[in-house]
Amino acid sequence: MAFFLETLIGGLMAGMLYSLVALGFVLIYKASGVFNFAQGAMVLFAALAMARLSEWIPKWTGIDSPLLAGIAAFILAGALMFVVAWCIERLVLRHLVNQEGATLLMATLGITYFLEGLGQTMFGSDIYKIDIGMPKEPIFAFESMFEGGVLINKEDVIAAAIAAGLVILLSIFFQKTSTGRALRAVADDHQAAQSIGIPLNRIWVIVWCVAGVVALVAGMIWGSKLGVQFSLTTVALRALPVVILGGLTSVPGAIIGGLIIGVGEKLSEVYLGPFVGGGIEIWFAYVLALVFLLFRPQGLFGEKIIDRV
Amino acid sequence: MLYRENGQFKTTYRADQQIFPIAQDRIAIALLLAVAFIAVPMLASDYFFRAILIPLVIMSMAALGVNILVGYCGQISLGSGAFMAVGAYGAYNVFVRVPGLPLIPAIVLGGLCAMFFGILFGLPSLRVKGLYLAVATLAAQFFSDWMFLRIKWFTNNSDSGSVSVNGLQVFGMPIESAQSKYLFCLALLVVVALLAKNLVRGAVGREWMAIRDMDVAAAVIGIRPMYAKLSAFAVSSFIVGMAGALWAFVHLGAWEPAAFSVEVSFRLLFMVIIGGLGSIMGGFFGAAFIVVLPIVLNQFLPALMGLFGISISTAGVSHAELMIFGALIVWFLIVEPHGLAKLWSTAKQKLRLWPFPH
C-alpha cells in the first residue's frame, strides 16, 4: 500500500511538471491558435541561458552570492526570452497571419530547429547544471500509518507548488484582464479579432513572451532535476499527450491532463511494465491520450469543435 | 521557343489524359530516365553513390509516400519514421523466417506490414483531425521505437535490436556493388512513382484531395471519409514501408531501431513541405534538398568560415545545420508555401510564353 501511494505521489509530482510544459502549449494555442511545437526548444533555450548565465555572471561582475547571480541570470534569461518572442513574431508569425493551423504548426517546427541550433551555438552543447538551491533530501510522510512511511521528494513538492502558483496567476490573467479577453478573441478568429481593432501583432508578442517565461520556469525546474542538455527537448514530447488529453484550449485541462498522464505513466510502468518488457512510459501516455480522443475528440476540457461548410 | 505546345493536337481522350500531355515533357522525362539509368551509373564514383544517390532515391520514395498522406489527403503525420521502421523490420522478419524468399517479395511484404500498422494508427483520423491527429500519430512513432527495442521476437532475439542482412540478390543477380544497389532502388522508385502518380490522378486521388480541402463538404457530396482517409493511410504507409525496407536492407545493411527515430519523421515532413505539398514531383525535390544540404554544408561551411578567418568545429557545423534547416523551413512557408515544385511549375509556365512574357 505504501509502495502504491509512493508511486501515486511520484506520478502526481511528475504530472505537475508535465503540466508546466503543457501549459506553454496551451497558452499559445489558447491565445493565438498556433500549436507551438517549439515549446520544447524554448524550454531548452531558456534552461541553457539560465544555466550558463548564472555561471558567467559571477565571472563578469564579481558577484559572489549564488542567489544573487541566480536571480540576475533569471532576469537576463527572461529578457532573452522576450527578445526571442519578439523576433518570432516579427520574422515568422507576422507573415503567416490568417494561415491554416497546419502551416503554423510547420512554421513552429522550423522555429524548433532554429532555436535548438541557436541555443547550442550561443551557450554550448555540454551538460550543464542549474542550482537554484532546492532541497534534495527526501521526506517521509504518513509514518504513523504505514511502516517506513511514504517517501516524498521535497524538490518535487516545491516544483509542484511553483507550477500551481503559475497556473493560478495565468488563469486570473486570462479570465479577468482585458488583455486576457483580447487573447482569447484572437484565438477564436484572427480576422474577426483584427476587424474589431485588436492589435494582433502586439497580442502575439505578449503571448509568446508569457510562453517564454513559462518555458524558463519549466526549464529551470526540469534543468535542476535532470541537468541542462539536449534531451530536455524531449520533455516537450512527453508533455504533448497531456495537452491533447486535457484539451488544447484549457489551462485547467493542462493541469488535470498532466496529473492523469503522470499517474498513468508511473502506475503502468510499475504494474504493467514488467509483463511486457518495461520502458512503456512514453508510448503508454500517448496511447492513453489516443484512446481518450476516440471518445472525446476535443479532449477533457477542450471547446467543442463545430464544423460548418 | 523550344517549349511550346502549339500544333500538338489531341484527337482522343486517351491522348488528352496522358501523364505528360506536352511532347517536350515526354522527351525530357525520357532523357532524364536515360541519364539516371545509363549515364549516372557509368560516371558516378562509389562515394557519390553511397553518400548521395542511394539515400536520395530511397528518401524520394519515402517522401512520395508521406506526400500522399500529408499533401494529398491533408492528414498531418509525424509518425512516418515508424512506418519506415515497421517496413524494415517486417521485411527483415519475413526474410529471415522464410528461407529462400527473394528480395522483392520480402520488401513488398514489409510494405504490407507497414500498411496494416498505418491503417491501425490511422484509425484516430476518423475522429480527430489537424493538430490533434499530428500528435496522435506520434503514438505510432514511440510505440514502434519501443516495440523493436523491447520485443525480442521482432529482432530475432538480438539484444540491442540491431540486425543485419547480407547476400541480397534479385533474379540471381547480387545486389552488392553501389551501382547495382542504386539501379535496384531506382527501378523500384520509378514503378512506385508511376503507380502513385496514376493513383492521385484517378478517383481515389480526387477523394483524398476533397477530404484535404474540406472534409465536411466532401462528406456532404458523398465521399466516404473513412474510406478516403484509411486508403490514404494504407497507400502512404505501404510506400513509406517499402522505402524503409530499402533503407534498411540496401542502404544500411545493418541497422537498429534508432535509425528510424522521430527525427526521421520530422525530416520526411520537411521534405514534403520544402518539396511541395500535394505534388509527386515535390517529393523528389524535397528529398534532394534535405539529403544534399547536410553534405554540402559539411563540405563548404568550414571552408566558407575559413575565408573569414573563423574556424568552425564539427559541433558548430551541426548546430549551423539545424539553424539553416529551421530558417529554410520558415522561409519556404512564408515565401513559397507550395514548395520547390511550385517554382518548377511556374518556371515551366514562363517557358511556355518565352520569350514574350504576355
Side-chain angles (χ1 to χ4, degrees), chain B residues 199-218:
Chain B
L199 262 186
V200 298
R201 278 161 19 109
V204 185
R206 280 167 207 283
E207 289 187 2
W208 292 340
M209 287 186 261
I211 290 284
R212 168 193 68 190
D213 290 340
M214 185 148 206
D215 51 353
V216 182

mmCIF file with all atom_site columns, all heavy atoms in Angstrom, chain B residues 199-218:
data_model
loop_
_atom_site.group_PDB
_atom_site.id
_atom_site.type_symbol
_atom_site.label_atom_id
_atom_site.label_alt_id
_atom_site.label_comp_id
_atom_site.label_asym_id
_atom_site.label_entity_id
_atom_site.label_seq_id
_atom_site.pdbx_PDB_ins_code
_atom_site.Cartn_x
_atom_site.Cartn_y
_atom_site.Cartn_z
_atom_site.occupancy
_atom_site.B_iso_or_equiv
_atom_site.pdbx_formal_charge
_atom_site.auth_seq_id
_atom_site.auth_comp_id
_atom_site.auth_asym_id
_atom_site.auth_atom_id
_atom_site.pdbx_PDB_model_num
ATOM 1   N N   . LEU B 1 199 ? -2.497  6.973  -59.263 1.00 0.00 ? 199 LEU B N   1
ATOM 2   C CA  . LEU B 1 199 ? -3.491  6.952  -58.187 1.00 0.00 ? 199 LEU B CA  1
ATOM 3   C C   . LEU B 1 199 ? -4.025  8.341  -57.902 1.00 0.00 ? 199 LEU B C   1
ATOM 4   O O   . LEU B 1 199 ? -5.227  8.534  -57.770 1.00 0.00 ? 199 LEU B O   1
ATOM 5   C CB  . LEU B 1 199 ? -2.858  6.401  -56.908 1.00 0.00 ? 199 LEU B CB  1
ATOM 6   C CG  . LEU B 1 199 ? -3.070  4.936  -56.576 1.00 0.00 ? 199 LEU B CG  1
ATOM 7   C CD1 . LEU B 1 199 ? -2.474  4.660  -55.202 1.00 0.00 ? 199 LEU B CD1 1
ATOM 8   C CD2 . LEU B 1 199 ? -4.543  4.598  -56.577 1.00 0.00 ? 199 LEU B CD2 1
ATOM 9   N N   . VAL B 1 200 ? -3.110  9.318  -57.813 1.00 0.00 ? 200 VAL B N   1
ATOM 10  C CA  . VAL B 1 200 ? -3.578  10.650 -57.438 1.00 0.00 ? 200 VAL B CA  1
ATOM 11  C C   . VAL B 1 200 ? -4.312  11.328 -58.588 1.00 0.00 ? 200 VAL B C   1
ATOM 12  O O   . VAL B 1 200 ? -5.061  12.272 -58.386 1.00 0.00 ? 200 VAL B O   1
ATOM 13  C CB  . VAL B 1 200 ? -2.443  11.564 -56.928 1.00 0.00 ? 200 VAL B CB  1
ATOM 14  C CG1 . VAL B 1 200 ? -1.824  10.980 -55.686 1.00 0.00 ? 200 VAL B CG1 1
ATOM 15  C CG2 . VAL B 1 200 ? -1.396  11.796 -57.983 1.00 0.00 ? 200 VAL B CG2 1
ATOM 16  N N   . ARG B 1 201 ? -4.112  10.845 -59.797 1.00 0.00 ? 201 ARG B N   1
ATOM 17  C CA  . ARG B 1 201 ? -4.883  11.392 -60.919 1.00 0.00 ? 201 ARG B CA  1
ATOM 18  C C   . ARG B 1 201 ? -6.278  10.807 -60.976 1.00 0.00 ? 201 ARG B C   1
ATOM 19  O O   . ARG B 1 201 ? -7.176  11.371 -61.594 1.00 0.00 ? 201 ARG B O   1
ATOM 20  C CB  . ARG B 1 201 ? -4.189  11.057 -62.253 1.00 0.00 ? 201 ARG B CB  1
ATOM 21  C CG  . ARG B 1 201 ? -3.080  11.997 -62.603 1.00 0.00 ? 201 ARG B CG  1
ATOM 22  C CD  . ARG B 1 201 ? -2.111  11.463 -63.623 1.00 0.00 ? 201 ARG B CD  1
ATOM 23  N NE  . ARG B 1 201 ? -2.482  10.364 -64.466 1.00 0.00 ? 201 ARG B NE  1
ATOM 24  C CZ  . ARG B 1 201 ? -2.740  10.455 -65.771 1.00 0.00 ? 201 ARG B CZ  1
ATOM 25  N NH1 . ARG B 1 201 ? -2.712  11.607 -66.355 1.00 0.00 ? 201 ARG B NH1 1
ATOM 26  N NH2 . ARG B 1 201 ? -3.001  9.385  -66.473 1.00 0.00 ? 201 ARG B NH2 1
ATOM 27  N N   . GLY B 1 202 ? -6.449  9.656  -60.360 1.00 0.00 ? 202 GLY B N   1
ATOM 28  C CA  . GLY B 1 202 ? -7.704  8.936  -60.503 1.00 0.00 ? 202 GLY B CA  1
ATOM 29  C C   . GLY B 1 202 ? -8.740  9.325  -59.466 1.00 0.00 ? 202 GLY B C   1
ATOM 30  O O   . GLY B 1 202 ? -8.598  10.306 -58.731 1.00 0.00 ? 202 GLY B O   1
ATOM 31  N N   . ALA B 1 203 ? -9.775  8.519  -59.383 1.00 0.00 ? 203 ALA B N   1
ATOM 32  C CA  . ALA B 1 203 ? -10.891 8.812  -58.490 1.00 0.00 ? 203 ALA B CA  1
ATOM 33  C C   . ALA B 1 203 ? -10.449 8.869  -57.035 1.00 0.00 ? 203 ALA B C   1
ATOM 34  O O   . ALA B 1 203 ? -10.851 9.759  -56.282 1.00 0.00 ? 203 ALA B O   1
ATOM 35  C CB  . ALA B 1 203 ? -11.967 7.750  -58.671 1.00 0.00 ? 203 ALA B CB  1
ATOM 36  N N   . VAL B 1 204 ? -9.581  7.920  -56.645 1.00 0.00 ? 204 VAL B N   1
ATOM 37  C CA  . VAL B 1 204 ? -9.141  7.886  -55.252 1.00 0.00 ? 204 VAL B CA  1
ATOM 38  C C   . VAL B 1 204 ? -8.421  9.178  -54.895 1.00 0.00 ? 204 VAL B C   1
ATOM 39  O O   . VAL B 1 204 ? -8.659  9.783  -53.845 1.00 0.00 ? 204 VAL B O   1
ATOM 40  C CB  . VAL B 1 204 ? -8.196  6.682  -55.026 1.00 0.00 ? 204 VAL B CB  1
ATOM 41  C CG1 . VAL B 1 204 ? -7.827  6.576  -53.575 1.00 0.00 ? 204 VAL B CG1 1
ATOM 42  C CG2 . VAL B 1 204 ? -8.846  5.411  -55.488 1.00 0.00 ? 204 VAL B CG2 1
ATOM 43  N N   . GLY B 1 205 ? -7.541  9.605  -55.801 1.00 0.00 ? 205 GLY B N   1
ATOM 44  C CA  . GLY B 1 205 ? -6.790  10.818 -55.545 1.00 0.00 ? 205 GLY B CA  1
ATOM 45  C C   . GLY B 1 205 ? -7.700  12.027 -55.394 1.00 0.00 ? 205 GLY B C   1
ATOM 46  O O   . GLY B 1 205 ? -7.484  12.877 -54.534 1.00 0.00 ? 205 GLY B O   1
ATOM 47  N N   . ARG B 1 206 ? -8.753  12.065 -56.214 1.00 0.00 ? 206 ARG B N   1
ATOM 48  C CA  . ARG B 1 206 ? -9.677  13.188 -56.099 1.00 0.00 ? 206 ARG B CA  1
ATOM 49  C C   . ARG B 1 206 ? -10.401 13.162 -54.763 1.00 0.00 ? 206 ARG B C   1
ATOM 50  O O   . ARG B 1 206 ? -10.651 14.212 -54.159 1.00 0.00 ? 206 ARG B O   1
ATOM 51  C CB  . ARG B 1 206 ? -10.688 13.137 -57.238 1.00 0.00 ? 206 ARG B CB  1
ATOM 52  C CG  . ARG B 1 206 ? -10.115 13.686 -58.505 1.00 0.00 ? 206 ARG B CG  1
ATOM 53  C CD  . ARG B 1 206 ? -10.953 13.360 -59.709 1.00 0.00 ? 206 ARG B CD  1
ATOM 54  N NE  . ARG B 1 206 ? -10.099 13.336 -60.887 1.00 0.00 ? 206 ARG B NE  1
ATOM 55  C CZ  . ARG B 1 206 ? -9.667  14.417 -61.481 1.00 0.00 ? 206 ARG B CZ  1
ATOM 56  N NH1 . ARG B 1 206 ? -10.016 15.599 -61.022 1.00 0.00 ? 206 ARG B NH1 1
ATOM 57  N NH2 . ARG B 1 206 ? -8.883  14.341 -62.533 1.00 0.00 ? 206 ARG B NH2 1
ATOM 58  N N   . GLU B 1 207 ? -10.725 11.958 -54.299 1.00 0.00 ? 207 GLU B N   1
ATOM 59  C CA  . GLU B 1 207 ? -11.370 11.876 -52.982 1.00 0.00 ? 207 GLU B CA  1
ATOM 60  C C   . GLU B 1 207 ? -10.436 12.393 -51.899 1.00 0.00 ? 207 GLU B C   1
ATOM 61  O O   . GLU B 1 207 ? -10.846 13.141 -51.010 1.00 0.00 ? 207 GLU B O   1
ATOM 62  C CB  . GLU B 1 207 ? -11.761 10.425 -52.681 1.00 0.00 ? 207 GLU B CB  1
ATOM 63  C CG  . GLU B 1 207 ? -12.911 9.938  -53.531 1.00 0.00 ? 207 GLU B CG  1
ATOM 64  C CD  . GLU B 1 207 ? -13.389 8.572  -53.101 1.00 0.00 ? 207 GLU B CD  1
ATOM 65  O OE1 . GLU B 1 207 ? -12.849 8.030  -52.117 1.00 0.00 ? 207 GLU B OE1 1
ATOM 66  O OE2 . GLU B 1 207 ? -14.297 8.041  -53.761 1.00 0.00 ? 207 GLU B OE2 1
ATOM 67  N N   . TRP B 1 208 ? -9.168  11.976 -51.991 1.00 0.00 ? 208 TRP B N   1
ATOM 68  C CA  . TRP B 1 208 ? -8.200  12.450 -50.999 1.00 0.00 ? 208 TRP B CA  1
ATOM 69  C C   . TRP B 1 208 ? -8.147  13.969 -50.981 1.00 0.00 ? 208 TRP B C   1
ATOM 70  O O   . TRP B 1 208 ? -8.173  14.591 -49.930 1.00 0.00 ? 208 TRP B O   1
ATOM 71  C CB  . TRP B 1 208 ? -6.799  11.903 -51.314 1.00 0.00 ? 208 TRP B CB  1
ATOM 72  C CG  . TRP B 1 208 ? -6.654  10.437 -51.135 1.00 0.00 ? 208 TRP B CG  1
ATOM 73  C CD1 . TRP B 1 208 ? -7.467  9.631  -50.392 1.00 0.00 ? 208 TRP B CD1 1
ATOM 74  C CD2 . TRP B 1 208 ? -5.653  9.600  -51.703 1.00 0.00 ? 208 TRP B CD2 1
ATOM 75  N NE1 . TRP B 1 208 ? -7.023  8.343  -50.473 1.00 0.00 ? 208 TRP B NE1 1
ATOM 76  C CE2 . TRP B 1 208 ? -5.920  8.287  -51.259 1.00 0.00 ? 208 TRP B CE2 1
ATOM 77  C CE3 . TRP B 1 208 ? -4.557  9.832  -52.530 1.00 0.00 ? 208 TRP B CE3 1
ATOM 78  C CZ2 . TRP B 1 208 ? -5.121  7.215  -51.625 1.00 0.00 ? 208 TRP B CZ2 1
ATOM 79  C CZ3 . TRP B 1 208 ? -3.766  8.767  -52.892 1.00 0.00 ? 208 TRP B CZ3 1
ATOM 80  C CH2 . TRP B 1 208 ? -4.044  7.473  -52.450 1.00 0.00 ? 208 TRP B CH2 1
ATOM 81  N N   . MET B 1 209 ? -8.073  14.535 -52.188 1.00 0.00 ? 209 MET B N   1
ATOM 82  C CA  . MET B 1 209 ? -7.929  15.987 -52.246 1.00 0.00 ? 209 MET B CA  1
ATOM 83  C C   . MET B 1 209 ? -9.177  16.685 -51.728 1.00 0.00 ? 209 MET B C   1
ATOM 84  O O   . MET B 1 209 ? -9.096  17.748 -51.101 1.00 0.00 ? 209 MET B O   1
ATOM 85  C CB  . MET B 1 209 ? -7.602  16.416 -53.661 1.00 0.00 ? 209 MET B CB  1
ATOM 86  C CG  . MET B 1 209 ? -6.177  16.061 -54.036 1.00 0.00 ? 209 MET B CG  1
ATOM 87  S SD  . MET B 1 209 ? -5.697  16.698 -55.616 1.00 0.00 ? 209 MET B SD  1
ATOM 88  C CE  . MET B 1 209 ? -5.910  15.275 -56.648 1.00 0.00 ? 209 MET B CE  1
ATOM 89  N N   . ALA B 1 210 ? -10.344 16.082 -51.986 1.00 0.00 ? 210 ALA B N   1
ATOM 90  C CA  . ALA B 1 210 ? -11.580 16.686 -51.477 1.00 0.00 ? 210 ALA B CA  1
ATOM 91  C C   . ALA B 1 210 ? -11.579 16.674 -49.954 1.00 0.00 ? 210 ALA B C   1
ATOM 92  O O   . ALA B 1 210 ? -11.946 17.657 -49.309 1.00 0.00 ? 210 ALA B O   1
ATOM 93  C CB  . ALA B 1 210 ? -12.786 15.922 -52.010 1.00 0.00 ? 210 ALA B CB  1
ATOM 94  N N   . ILE B 1 211 ? -11.125 15.553 -49.384 1.00 0.00 ? 211 ILE B N   1
ATOM 95  C CA  . ILE B 1 211 ? -11.057 15.457 -47.924 1.00 0.00 ? 211 ILE B CA  1
ATOM 96  C C   . ILE B 1 211 ? -10.077 16.491 -47.377 1.00 0.00 ? 211 ILE B C   1
ATOM 97  O O   . ILE B 1 211 ? -10.325 17.142 -46.366 1.00 0.00 ? 211 ILE B O   1
ATOM 98  C CB  . ILE B 1 211 ? -10.609 14.042 -47.507 1.00 0.00 ? 211 ILE B CB  1
ATOM 99  C CG1 . ILE B 1 211 ? -11.705 13.028 -47.793 1.00 0.00 ? 211 ILE B CG1 1
ATOM 100 C CG2 . ILE B 1 211 ? -10.209 13.999 -46.052 1.00 0.00 ? 211 ILE B CG2 1
ATOM 101 C CD1 . ILE B 1 211 ? -12.840 13.041 -46.819 1.00 0.00 ? 211 ILE B CD1 1
ATOM 102 N N   . ARG B 1 212 ? -8.963  16.659 -48.077 1.00 0.00 ? 212 ARG B N   1
ATOM 103 C CA  . ARG B 1 212 ? -7.964  17.618 -47.626 1.00 0.00 ? 212 ARG B CA  1
ATOM 104 C C   . ARG B 1 212 ? -8.540  19.027 -47.632 1.00 0.00 ? 212 ARG B C   1
ATOM 105 O O   . ARG B 1 212 ? -8.402  19.774 -46.676 1.00 0.00 ? 212 ARG B O   1
ATOM 106 C CB  . ARG B 1 212 ? -6.748  17.564 -48.550 1.00 0.00 ? 212 ARG B CB  1
ATOM 107 C CG  . ARG B 1 212 ? -5.776  18.711 -48.346 1.00 0.00 ? 212 ARG B CG  1
ATOM 108 C CD  . ARG B 1 212 ? -4.770  18.778 -49.473 1.00 0.00 ? 212 ARG B CD  1
ATOM 109 N NE  . ARG B 1 212 ? -5.394  19.157 -50.731 1.00 0.00 ? 212 ARG B NE  1
ATOM 110 C CZ  . ARG B 1 212 ? -4.776  19.099 -51.910 1.00 0.00 ? 212 ARG B CZ  1
ATOM 111 N NH1 . ARG B 1 212 ? -3.545  18.657 -51.993 1.00 0.00 ? 212 ARG B NH1 1
ATOM 112 N NH2 . ARG B 1 212 ? -5.391  19.472 -53.009 1.00 0.00 ? 212 ARG B NH2 1
ATOM 113 N N   . ASP B 1 213 ? -9.200  19.374 -48.733 1.00 0.00 ? 213 ASP B N   1
ATOM 114 C CA  . ASP B 1 213 ? -9.638  20.754 -48.875 1.00 0.00 ? 213 ASP B CA  1
ATOM 115 C C   . ASP B 1 213 ? -10.749 21.100 -47.899 1.00 0.00 ? 213 ASP B C   1
ATOM 116 O O   . ASP B 1 213 ? -10.752 22.182 -47.327 1.00 0.00 ? 213 ASP B O   1
ATOM 117 C CB  . ASP B 1 213 ? -10.094 21.005 -50.311 1.00 0.00 ? 213 ASP B CB  1
ATOM 118 C CG  . ASP B 1 213 ? -8.907  20.992 -51.246 1.00 0.00 ? 213 ASP B CG  1
ATOM 119 O OD1 . ASP B 1 213 ? -7.779  21.174 -50.754 1.00 0.00 ? 213 ASP B OD1 1
ATOM 120 O OD2 . ASP B 1 213 ? -9.099  20.778 -52.452 1.00 0.00 ? 213 ASP B OD2 1
ATOM 121 N N   . MET B 1 214 ? -11.695 20.224 -47.724 1.00 0.00 ? 214 MET B N   1
ATOM 122 C CA  . MET B 1 214 ? -12.704 20.459 -46.694 1.00 0.00 ? 214 MET B CA  1
ATOM 123 C C   . MET B 1 214 ? -13.451 19.163 -46.454 1.00 0.00 ? 214 MET B C   1
ATOM 124 O O   . MET B 1 214 ? -14.268 18.754 -47.271 1.00 0.00 ? 214 MET B O   1
ATOM 125 C CB  . MET B 1 214 ? -13.667 21.541 -47.134 1.00 0.00 ? 214 MET B CB  1
ATOM 126 C CG  . MET B 1 214 ? -14.636 21.868 -46.025 1.00 0.00 ? 214 MET B CG  1
ATOM 127 S SD  . MET B 1 214 ? -15.130 23.561 -46.065 1.00 0.00 ? 214 MET B SD  1
ATOM 128 C CE  . MET B 1 214 ? -15.540 23.804 -44.354 1.00 0.00 ? 214 MET B CE  1
ATOM 129 N N   . ASP B 1 215 ? -13.163 18.546 -45.322 1.00 0.00 ? 215 ASP B N   1
ATOM 130 C CA  . ASP B 1 215 ? -13.683 17.191 -45.142 1.00 0.00 ? 215 ASP B CA  1
ATOM 131 C C   . ASP B 1 215 ? -15.196 17.156 -44.982 1.00 0.00 ? 215 ASP B C   1
ATOM 132 O O   . ASP B 1 215 ? -15.851 16.244 -45.465 1.00 0.00 ? 215 ASP B O   1
ATOM 133 C CB  . ASP B 1 215 ? -12.974 16.492 -43.985 1.00 0.00 ? 215 ASP B CB  1
ATOM 134 C CG  . ASP B 1 215 ? -12.965 17.303 -42.728 1.00 0.00 ? 215 ASP B CG  1
ATOM 135 O OD1 . ASP B 1 215 ? -13.387 18.468 -42.785 1.00 0.00 ? 215 ASP B OD1 1
ATOM 136 O OD2 . ASP B 1 215 ? -12.543 16.795 -41.678 1.00 0.00 ? 215 ASP B OD2 1
ATOM 137 N N   . VAL B 1 216 ? -15.750 18.179 -44.314 1.00 0.00 ? 216 VAL B N   1
ATOM 138 C CA  . VAL B 1 216 ? -17.203 18.164 -44.104 1.00 0.00 ? 216 VAL B CA  1
ATOM 139 C C   . VAL B 1 216 ? -17.919 18.280 -45.450 1.00 0.00 ? 216 VAL B C   1
ATOM 140 O O   . VAL B 1 216 ? -18.846 17.526 -45.746 1.00 0.00 ? 216 VAL B O   1
ATOM 141 C CB  . VAL B 1 216 ? -17.615 19.313 -43.177 1.00 0.00 ? 216 VAL B CB  1
ATOM 142 C CG1 . VAL B 1 216 ? -19.105 19.247 -42.927 1.00 0.00 ? 216 VAL B CG1 1
ATOM 143 C CG2 . VAL B 1 216 ? -16.874 19.210 -41.867 1.00 0.00 ? 216 VAL B CG2 1
ATOM 144 N N   . ALA B 1 217 ? -17.448 19.208 -46.276 1.00 0.00 ? 217 ALA B N   1
ATOM 145 C CA  . ALA B 1 217 ? -18.064 19.380 -47.586 1.00 0.00 ? 217 ALA B CA  1
ATOM 146 C C   . ALA B 1 217 ? -17.905 18.120 -48.418 1.00 0.00 ? 217 ALA B C   1
ATOM 147 O O   . ALA B 1 217 ? -18.831 17.704 -49.124 1.00 0.00 ? 217 ALA B O   1
ATOM 148 C CB  . ALA B 1 217 ? -17.436 20.567 -48.303 1.00 0.00 ? 217 ALA B CB  1
ATOM 149 N N   . ALA B 1 218 ? -16.751 17.481 -48.316 1.00 0.00 ? 218 ALA B N   1
ATOM 150 C CA  . ALA B 1 218 ? -16.523 16.254 -49.075 1.00 0.00 ? 218 ALA B CA  1
ATOM 151 C C   . ALA B 1 218 ? -17.504 15.181 -48.652 1.00 0.00 ? 218 ALA B C   1
ATOM 152 O O   . ALA B 1 218 ? -18.076 14.466 -49.488 1.00 0.00 ? 218 ALA B O   1
ATOM 153 C CB  . ALA B 1 218 ? -15.088 15.774 -48.865 1.00 0.00 ? 218 ALA B CB  1
#
